[in-house]
Amino acid sequence: MEGKKKEEDKWHKLDNTAKIYPVIANSHLSSVYRMSVTLKEKICPKKLQQAVEIVTPWFEIFHVRLRRGVFWYYYETNKKQPKIEEEFTYPCRYIDPYSNNQYLFRVSYYECRINLEVFHGLTDGNGAILFLKELLYQYLRLAHRMELSSFLDVPSTDASFNMEDSYQKYYKKMKTEGYGKEYAYQLKGEYLGGVKVGILHGYIDLKSLKRVCKEYQVSVTQYFLAVLIESIYIEEMNGQPSKLPIRINMPVNLRAFFESTTIRNFFAAVIVGFPIKKEGYTFEEILFYVKKTLGEELTKERLEKLISYNVGNEKHWYLRMLPLFIKNIGIKAIYAHSAKAFTTTISNLGVIKVLPEYQPYVERFHFIMGVSKKQPLKCIVCSYGDEMVFTFSSVLEDTSIQRHFFKKLSQHGIAVKVESNGVYYETV
């Protein structure tokens, strides 16, 4: 019994990235993102609830509640059961730490779709993918006992439960310059009313996309960045010079550069800035600039400096000794300043793979990023099978940027089909 109690009472420090989210999160800025998997059959709520109860204890970082300490927030094992719900409102709502049985993630369903919404303080997109896939596998085992009876109700061979703080592991004390203090052009326009969030999914044929990227000799991420910058430049800025550059915030999965299997946050933000100093930029000019910038930013040496800068700030003894309420004031001020340093965000989660025995049941995956009036439009992309899904989430009424983006893809011969969550009824 003593050993069991000790396990239940585990606590965890928040990783370097996670420390900002409990401070800034509220009903207007949720810091929540969503990952969904759509099946080829309707969801059985009872079996989904069973699956959540089985899988959650496997992942320590999900099986927690948020606690307030004297100097920092921390996570403590949550002894309650997570509860699923039927989807009834807009995605990426704020997760109140004192409701939802104190869990910092939410599982919901709608017809054939399972949604996992995660507070970013727990983990990044990579960790969410691992959790959702294990939830998917367990649900399908329960729903298809006859077909999947040979697979025990245990984690798959794909699972990882590594709780390492990889930021601390790869931190090196060095002289760094940080992110700079440059301000960026901010998106403008009328906001959607109430709690509305407009979602546009673009279903893109991966084969035609790769063909176009090969013609331009760029990666998929570089191509999307250039199309997004052009869309903002033409539709939002009307192709006019600006004192402030378009600056795109791009989270980078550090596991691709440093050996790590952690299920906690392990990413860095890279800023791609495009100066607007003349009229008449061509798409090729924008693409060349993006390719050059990412080539300079996406190096192990540059990312090591970002890790050093981020982690180094929290290691100052005088900051560590400040009580939490004072730290919170400083963090909010820093965040308010940093939010003005980028125009929008784009994140590429890459290829999502499902174990062969479960593939016949899966239709597709989606990702959605939470937005707010301070961050009114964001983009995220993932692929499964022969399809890539590019998703815009926005609280702005105008969809000019989204329309230009998808039309540009079509002009390049890329097959794309656009779907709305009902907030935007216009066809793109």
Side-chain angles (χ1 to χ4, degrees):
M1 291 297 292
E2 289 182 2
K4 184 177 181 182
K5 187 175 190 307
K6 184 178 179 182
E7 182 180 5
E8 290 177 346
D9 288 343
K10 279 186 178 179
W11 67 277
H12 306 282
K13 293 180 180 180
L14 276 66
D15 61 65
N16 176 261
T17 298
K19 289 177 179 177
I20 190 174
Y21 294 111
V23 181
I24 65 171
N26 55 51
S27 59
H28 302 292
L29 180 62
S30 69
S31 298
V32 171
Y33 60 89
R34 171 186 284 195
M35 183 183 186
S36 304
V37 58
T38 302
L39 305 185
K40 298 176 182 178
E41 61 193 39
K42 284 200 172 183
I43 303 302
C44 172
K46 183 178 179 180
K47 289 183 172 59
L48 180 59
Q49 178 64 47
Q50 287 179 267
V52 170
E53 291 177 10
I54 292 170
V55 170
T56 300
W58 297 349
F59 292 85
E60 284 186 55
I61 197 59
F62 281 84
H63 197 212
V64 297
R65 59 178 180 165
L66 183 67
R67 305 290 282 174
R68 182 191 294 265
V70 176
F71 299 104
W72 293 107
Y73 289 97
Y74 65 95
Y75 293 133
E76 181 181 76
T77 302
N78 192 339
K79 301 171 187 177
K80 299 178 182 179
Q81 289 285 10
K83 299 294 182 182
I84 70 164
E85 61 185 34
E86 186 172 10
E87 182 179 4
F88 65 92
T89 186
Y90 298 99
C92 304
R93 292 175 293 123
Y94 174 59
I95 299 177
D96 185 346
Y98 301 102
S99 63
N100 193 44
N101 275 358
Q102 294 185 288
Y103 279 96
L104 297 172
F105 70 93
R106 181 190 296 122
V107 174
S108 63
Y109 63 94
Y110 178 75
E111 294 187 346
C112 301
R113 189 175 68 238
I114 299 172
N115 306 310
L116 171 66
E117 296 188 329
V118 182
F119 176 58
H120 218 321
L122 291 184
T123 184
D124 54 23
N126 185 80
I129 290 170
L130 291 172
F131 184 91
L132 182 60
K133 288 203 297 185
E134 292 304 314
L135 178 60
L136 166 68
Y137 298 159
Q138 183 58 48
Y139 170 79
L140 290 174
R141 292 183 199 122
L142 293 170
H144 297 275
R145 281 292 189 187
M146 296 296 292
E147 297 90 334
L148 300 171
S149 59
S150 59
F151 302 99
L152 299 174
D153 296 341
V154 295
S156 73
T157 54
D158 274 0
S160 172
F161 307 107
N162 186 345
M163 286 286 289
E164 169 188 277
D165 187 338
S166 294
Y167 291 114
Q168 298 293 338
K169 179 179 179 179
Y170 290 103
Y171 166 73
K172 295 179 180 178
K173 189 175 181 179
M174 63 175 73
K175 187 177 181 180
T176 60
E177 298 177 356
Y179 294 92
K181 299 179 179 179
E182 189 173 10
Y183 284 120
Y185 178 83
Q186 302 293 295
L187 299 177
K188 304 176 181 67
E190 296 294 323
Y191 295 109
L192 296 168
V195 295
K196 286 183 180 179
V197 179
I199 306 297
L200 286 174
H201 298 298
Y203 301 110
I204 300 167
D205 173 63
L206 202 51
K207 185 177 180 180
S208 58
L209 173 64
K210 288 182 176 179
R211 173 182 53 77
V212 171
C213 291
K214 186 176 180 180
E215 290 174 0
Y216 280 111
Q217 297 183 326
V218 294
S219 69
V220 169
T221 299
Q222 291 167 348
Y223 175 76
F224 281 152
L225 270 167
V227 178
L228 180 60
I229 289 173
E230 183 190 75
S231 301
I232 295 170
Y233 172 59
I234 292 177
E235 300 297 338
E236 172 76 13
M237 307 174 75
N238 300 312
Q240 297 300 312
S242 169
K243 293 180 180 179
L244 297 175
I246 296 172
R247 302 185 85 219
I248 310 297
N249 175 45
M250 191 182 80
V252 175
N253 181 6
L254 293 174
R255 298 169 187 83
F257 297 86
F258 303 89
E259 188 176 341
S260 173
T261 58
T262 185
I263 59 169
R264 306 178 77 179
N265 284 301
F266 192 45
F267 70 95
V270 169
I271 302 293
V272 179
F274 186 75
I276 310 298
K277 296 180 180 178
K278 69 165 188 172
E279 296 184 31
Y281 282 105
T282 66
F283 176 73
E284 286 74 16
E285 286 177 314
I286 297 172
L287 191 59
F288 176 81
Y289 188 91
V290 167
K291 185 176 180 180
K292 179 177 179 294
T293 302
L294 280 187
E296 296 168 351
E297 292 292 322
L298 294 183
T299 66
K300 189 172 183 179
E301 292 72 23
R302 171 61 178 153
L303 295 173
E304 278 181 338
K305 289 181 179 180
L306 290 180
I307 293 173
S308 177
Y309 174 77
N310 292 334
V311 177
N313 284 333
E314 72 177 63
K315 288 186 175 293
H316 296 303
W317 67 268
Y318 50 88
L319 293 178
R320 292 167 61 187
M321 295 302 294
L322 289 175
L324 182 58
F325 77 93
I326 294 179
K327 284 192 179 84
N328 286 352
I329 295 171
I331 290 173
K332 286 181 180 179
I334 292 170
Y335 177 78
H337 176 81
S338 64
K340 297 177 182 178
F342 59 90
T343 307
T344 186
T345 296
I346 182 172
S347 181
N348 188 347
L349 276 298
V351 180
I352 299 173
K353 296 180 180 179
V354 171
L355 292 174
E357 55 268 26
Y358 304 100
Q359 290 175 7
Y361 305 96
V362 178
E363 183 72 32
R364 60 167 54 102
F365 286 86
H366 295 93
F367 256 98
I368 298 174
M369 296 184 77
V371 286
S372 67
K373 287 185 177 180
K374 290 184 178 180
Q375 302 174 19
L377 181 144
K378 291 185 180 180
C379 327
I380 194 163
V381 58
C382 66
S383 66
Y384 174 73
D386 296 326
E387 179 184 75
M388 180 164 277
V389 184
F390 191 105
T391 299
F392 283 97
S393 48
S394 177
V395 291
L396 295 172
E397 287 185 356
D398 185 65
T399 59
S400 299
I401 293 172
Q402 296 95 310
R403 290 201 306 270
H404 184 104
F405 184 92
F406 290 125
K407 283 181 180 178
K408 189 71 175 185
L409 268 58
S410 296
Q411 290 170 3
H412 284 167
I414 299 170
V416 56
K417 178 182 177 183
V418 180
E419 176 187 69
S420 168
N421 68 334
V423 173
Y424 301 126
Y425 291 100
E426 304 172 64
T427 55
V428 180

